[in-house]
Amino acid sequence: MKNYDVLVVGAGFAGATIARKRAEQGKKVLVVEKRAHIGGNMYECEGENGIRVHLYGPHIFHTNSERAFQFLKEFGEFFPYEHKVLGKIDGKLVPIPFNYTSLEMLFDKENAEKIKLKLKRNFPDVEKISILDLVKHNDVDIKEFGQYVYDKVFANYTAKQWGTTVDKIDTSVINRVPVVLGYDDRYFKDKFQYMPKEGFTKLFENILNHENIEVRLNMNVKDILKIDFEKKKTYINGEEFGGEIFYTGALDELMNYEYGNLPYRTLELKFENYPEEYYQENSVVNYPNEEEFTRITEFKYLTKQEDKEHTTILKEYPAQFDIHNPKYADPYYPINNDKNQEIYKKYQDKLASISNIKLCGRLAEYKYYNMDAVIDRALTLCE
Ligand SMILES: Cc1cc2nc3c(=O)[nH]c(=O)nc-3n(C[C@H](O)[C@H](O)[C@H](O)COP(=O)(O)OP(=O)(O)OC[C@H]3O[C@@H](n4cnc5c(N)ncnc54)[C@H](O)[C@@H]3O)c2cc1C
């Protein structure tokens, strides 16, 4: 490592942003990535039918962070994209989050008008409301409406997603499920909603394309990095390395699972190709109830790729993460509870004695981050 000032582990948004910033500051940066490609979970590639897909699940860029968007815009062009989601409820495809259109599609006219009137009276000038506020309301019609949305949109979906019954889900999660009091059917309300014209992978290629950055793929940092906790020193390929190390992988893996595994939920992703222009009427359709999968994504809506004869969809089956089974070995969603936070903190405290290692990103911080938040966090770390 004599030729490098900085080691970055992982070429997802956390690692790529840090590598770029340090390179621009004149540092020689080595990026080590254990997968065969850059981009982390944002990786986008062409399938055998020529359709571009997000290999680790659909990713939509949306942010209120001017700084994160400004950073990205330097590395590619973007087109405006406002994401919309439909959900299959009682055999109909209705807007999700549930809004007045969903209400009108699923309730008879008289009932729908009555509920809308009551919602308007009880929540004047409110754009969206938590489902819990409806379920707990003392007006019987509002309460029943809230319960309907809770049962049909939230309960089974969440149980599938987290592999548990809904009563075990933290109320903070339930609190975040909104009902929109109006006709706005956009899934996100952020100020900036765009997708990269040439796809996410091209964006990563551009971010990492700098004379001070070298990327090595198919390399697990565990094979080259040793941490000596007694001497409080780090070694790369046997030689002491005192430069900065930014680690964006899983913390339990780095620390040899000394305090146990950090649990995750994962996804089994099943791609299907069809010889037709479109498979469904929208980019994402949620299946909260009867089906085993949670949603179907059709990528052409996200990439705006034109092809009248081919399309590719993705069905997502939530599953238990299992490091020993390659089918389930991708950590997707941290399972955030007190017990797991305690394990995480033990790792974090032990690593704090090694002053040149910094943690950044969804795995290293054991935290669900949207991509803009990861970019923001990486930019802050580099300042
Ligand atoms: C299904 C799903 C959908 C999502 N959709 C959205 C969305 O629509 N919009 C949005 O903003 N966000 C979305 N996100 C979140 C988004 O994926 C993350 O914010 C982003 O990927 C985080 O980047 P990262 O660099 O922290 O992690 P990652 O992208 O996971 O990158 C970490 C990299 O480190 C590498 N690595 C790990 N360990 C090692 C090691 N030991 N040695 C070498 N390399 C290693 C990994 O291979 C990986 O490439 C979604 C997440 C999921 C799970």
Side-chain angles (χ1 to χ4, degrees):
M1 277 297 283
K2 284 201 183 84
N3 300 327
Y4 299 101
D5 304 303
V6 178
L7 172 67
V8 172
V9 182
F13 259 135
T17 305
I18 291 167
R20 180 73 196 200
K21 280 290 151 191
R22 279 293 182 261
E24 286 174 355
Q25 289 157 357
K27 307 280 185 197
K28 294 272 181 215
V29 183
L30 175 65
V31 179
V32 168
E33 168 55 59
K34 71 176 174 183
R35 286 173 172 160
H37 58 74
I38 57 171
N41 271 14
M42 314 294 309
Y43 180 62
E44 185 170 334
C45 58
E46 244 180 43
E48 55 195 33
N49 62 354
I51 299 298
R52 270 169 33 216
V53 300
H54 299 171
L55 201 63
Y56 302 95
H59 282 79
I60 293 106
F61 183 73
H62 58 99
T63 188
N64 285 318
S65 164
E66 195 119 24
R67 180 169 77 149
F69 189 42
Q70 282 304 333
F71 171 76
L72 281 188
K73 276 202 303 192
E74 283 177 39
F75 303 106
E77 283 184 54
F78 286 76
F79 63 87
Y81 173 81
E82 289 194 325
H83 192 50
K84 292 181 182 175
V85 173
L86 298 176
K88 188 178 157 217
I89 313 290
D90 289 344
K92 292 186 177 158
L93 294 184
V94 306
I96 301 288
F98 211 91
N99 66 9
Y100 284 175
T101 308
S102 325
L103 173 64
E104 288 165 7
M105 287 175 78
L106 291 165
F107 286 63
D108 65 63
K109 197 166 188 296
E110 195 183 328
N111 236 337
E113 290 306 317
K114 181 173 73 179
I115 294 166
K116 269 192 298 178
L117 204 67
K118 286 196 172 185
L119 289 170
K120 279 178 194 157
R121 265 202 218 122
N122 280 275
F123 309 105
D125 303 324
V126 176
E127 281 175 17
K128 62 175 181 179
I129 188 144
S130 154
I131 193 167
L132 277 190
D133 289 335
L134 299 179
V135 173
K136 287 183 189 154
H137 205 274
N138 49 22
D139 180 287
V140 71
D141 291 317
I142 292 181
K143 193 182 171 71
E144 275 180 14
F145 167 63
Q147 193 61 45
Y148 175 89
V149 181
Y150 182 93
D151 292 340
K152 301 276 181 169
V153 179
F154 172 72
N156 296 331
Y157 189 93
T158 307
K160 274 198 261 187
Q161 181 84 348
W162 293 101
T164 180
T165 49
V166 73
D167 53 295
K168 297 203 181 74
I169 302 288
D170 198 278
T171 42
S172 66
V173 175
I174 307 173
N175 239 337
R176 287 202 295 268
V177 180
V179 170
V180 174
L181 304 182
Y183 292 93
D184 187 349
D185 59 356
R186 292 170 307 154
Y187 198 70
F188 303 113
K189 312 288 183 242
D190 300 60
K191 189 166 163 196
F192 307 106
Q193 304 190 38
Y194 291 90
M195 290 293 273
K197 257 189 187 162
E198 294 181 89
F200 283 107
T201 305
K202 186 71 189 159
L203 210 55
F204 277 91
E205 280 170 13
N206 293 341
I207 295 172
L208 292 166
N209 181 14
H210 189 286
E211 58 184 4
N212 287 342
I213 301 178
E214 185 188 329
V215 180
R216 288 193 201 155
L217 299 176
N218 299 306
M219 183 181 272
N220 192 322
V221 79
K222 301 268 298 174
D223 296 334
I224 59 164
L225 173 70
K226 294 287 165 277
I227 306 172
D228 187 326
F229 284 97
E230 270 173 32
K231 293 191 181 133
K232 303 191 191 321
K233 286 188 170 156
T234 49
Y235 300 84
I236 292 175
N237 290 329
E239 278 181 41
E240 190 180 331
F241 179 71
E244 286 179 304
I245 299 174
F246 291 94
Y247 182 76
T248 76
L251 190 52
D252 52 355
E253 183 188 340
L254 180 70
M255 309 283 277
N256 301 319
Y257 305 99
E258 184 182 351
Y259 304 122
N261 287 38
L262 284 167
Y264 287 88
R265 286 293 282 170
T266 190
L267 292 171
E268 193 184 347
L269 301 174
K270 293 189 183 167
F271 292 87
E272 294 174 10
N273 296 332
Y274 291 90
E276 52 203 57
E277 188 171 12
Y278 286 109
Y279 173 88
Q280 60 189 22
E281 64 185 76
N282 195 54
S283 56
V284 173
V285 177
N286 282 4
Y287 289 83
N289 298 312
E290 295 85 8
E291 290 75 4
E292 265 182 70
F293 47 87
T294 46
R295 59 178 176 174
I296 297 181
T297 300
E298 186 163 12
F299 288 98
K300 274 161 65 181
Y301 288 104
L302 302 182
T303 59
K304 296 272 184 274
Q305 189 177 357
E306 282 180 26
D307 186 327
K308 292 205 183 306
E309 285 159 24
H310 306 94
T311 194
T312 300
I313 62 151
L314 169 65
K315 292 179 179 163
E316 291 175 40
Y317 296 81
Q320 201 58 38
F321 168 70
D322 179 0
I323 195 93
H324 303 296
N325 181 346
K327 203 165 144 189
Y328 302 119
D330 264 326
Y332 275 93
Y333 302 103
I335 298 179
N336 210 337
N337 58 33
D338 291 346
K339 187 171 150 239
N340 299 342
Q341 279 307 322
E342 231 169 77
I343 302 174
Y344 179 80
K345 187 148 191 326
K346 276 191 196 165
Y347 285 126
Q348 200 185 22
D349 287 349
K350 180 162 182 184
L351 195 68
S353 64
I354 311 295
S355 60
N356 60 328
I357 299 188
K358 297 184 180 85
L359 303 174
C360 183
R362 64 178 194 103
L363 296 168
E365 297 181 65
Y366 195 59
K367 194 173 178 175
Y368 183 84
Y369 268 125
N370 274 326
M371 58 182 118
D372 60 322
V374 164
I375 294 166
D376 247 337
R377 162 102 178 104
L379 291 173
T380 301
L381 258 187
C382 288
E383 272 166 4

